[in-house]
Amino acid sequence: MTILQALVILVQAVLPLAGLYLTKAIVDAVCVTDAWPTVLLLLAAAALVSLFTVCLRETGTLLQEHQSQRLNDQVHHRLHRQAAAIDLGTLEQAAYHDDFHRALSEGPYRPARILEGLFEIARNGLLLTGLLGFLLLFQWQVAVLMPLAVFLPAVVRWRFAQRNFELQRDITGLERRCGYYHWLLTSLESAKEVRLLNLFSFFSNRFARHRQTIYRQRTALSSKRAVSTMLARGIGVLITFGCFSLLAANARSGTVTIGAFVMLMQGFHRGTGTLDSLFTAAADLYENRLFLSSYFRFITMKPALAAPRHTVVIPDLSKTCLCVENISFTYPGTRTPVLDNLSFAIQPGEVVALVGANGAGKSTLVKLLCRLYDPDCGRILAGKSDIRAFDPFPLASGPSPP
């Protein structure tokens, strides 16, 4: 699909140049008497170019949609596989959920946007090269001034792409809190408690306060971007109409033909639009790369419970003694041990009850036996094998989707 899109882009870059030249030829032919057959022939050629352009544009869009969907599916698969491989201790950390929120929000569609941006840069770069060649051939001053008309808006875009990324990174925690309050206010699971305890106003006010903070930060950045863009665009407009005045003066003095004047006007207008699209695509590519860093940081996160290089086959636990030897465990971020120097053995077929007060460590012990955590010291044996020799996540390394 990438190769096909590259071929489509190559042809798309040439067709506008043919359209510009045909426009010049049509205008010049109209100005000549008894040239009506030539005008009709040129109009037919221009119609074919336009029709071919439309067909290529739709073909490129179709290829892009197919490839974006495949890319989206692949990214989701990698996110799911990574989330399944992360240990429970990491899952219970707020920093992990911030990274996961950013990866899930940006990861599925940013790769497709990057690919689209690369194609857009290639298409506009080829077209711009041809347009500059046209302008240099007929009016080199216009070709020199044209980049200045769109340079400042491009600088503004690049500057605010970085600031937008930084803002999104800073408000991730607030967005997650808003999502949680929204769930409490609307879900069936929390509906009874919210109504019985009259918690609607409490959660609603917190949601509104966080949303107001996000709103203020976003609108402040948007206002600064709008003012900067208006100033940059205003300077670009002055340069553009200065070039149009130069072309009009040359046409009036007879330096260029009327057809060449129309072609240069259209070429300049098309060139500034193409250059602006090129700078915009480059700025978007930069912004998408920044946001995609959250996705790459997430999928390269190493779980605390990593599988050993050489795993051991899990024995039949119904025929194996389970031994706990001097284990101690303290939850990350706390100081008080939940389990301290605990030892016991469970024989095959034996039924054991874990009894204790709330917080005594019953669930924690089961988590350690299931190797959702590793003990701080000591070991747990299944037969003669330490359970750390088993693959903790055998289902997280499945094949990629077709």
Side-chain angles (χ1 to χ4, degrees), residues 1-20 49-64 116 118-131 270 274:
M1 289 183 182
T2 304
I3 294 173
L4 287 174
Q5 286 194 70
L7 293 174
V8 169
I9 285 170
L10 184 62
V11 180
Q12 281 181 320
V14 175
L15 288 178
L17 303 178
L20 279 176
V49 169
S50 298
L51 182 62
F52 198 35
T53 300
V54 170
C55 293
L56 279 177
R57 183 170 60 247
E58 294 305 316
T59 301
T61 300
L62 180 63
L63 290 171
Q64 202 170 75
E116 293 169 9
L118 290 171
F119 283 132
E120 188 70 17
I121 288 173
R123 180 188 300 110
N124 290 323
L126 290 172
L127 177 57
L128 184 64
T129 301
L131 289 171
R270 186 68 178 266
T274 302

Side-chain angles (χ1 to χ4, degrees), residues 304-306 328-329 367-368 371-377 387-388:
L305 301 182
S328 298
F329 179 76
K367 292 176 184 177
L368 292 170
R371 211 200 164 195
L372 298 176
Y373 292 96
D374 278 336
D376 299 332
C377 60
I387 65 171
R388 282 174 286 204

Side-chain angles (χ1 to χ4, degrees), residues 22-23 44 49 87 90 104 108 123 137 172 187 189-190 220 234 236-237 254 285 296 321 326 337 348 374 381 400:
L22 286 171
T23 299
V49 169
D87 57 282
T90 303
L104 188 62
R123 180 188 300 110
L137 185 64
T172 297
S187 68
E189 290 85 347
S190 59
V237 168
L285 188 65
F296 282 117
C321 176
N326 307 113
D374 278 336
L381 301 176
S400 299

Side-chain angles (χ1 to χ4, degrees), residues 22 25-26 28-30 32-45:
L22 286 171
I26 289 170
D28 286 339
V30 167
V32 177
T33 56
D34 300 330
W36 185 241
T38 304
V39 172
L40 291 178
L41 185 62
L42 291 171
L43 286 171

Side-chain angles (χ1 to χ4, degrees), residues 60-87:
T61 300
L62 180 63
L63 290 171
Q64 202 170 75
E65 288 177 355
H66 277 286
Q67 193 170 33
S68 296
Q69 187 60 53
R70 294 289 298 275
L71 210 61
N72 185 287
D73 293 342
Q74 186 64 231
V75 168
H76 270 104
H77 174 73
R78 296 184 71 179
L79 284 170
H80 296 162
R81 186 169 58 186
Q82 176 68 355
I86 295 298
D87 57 282

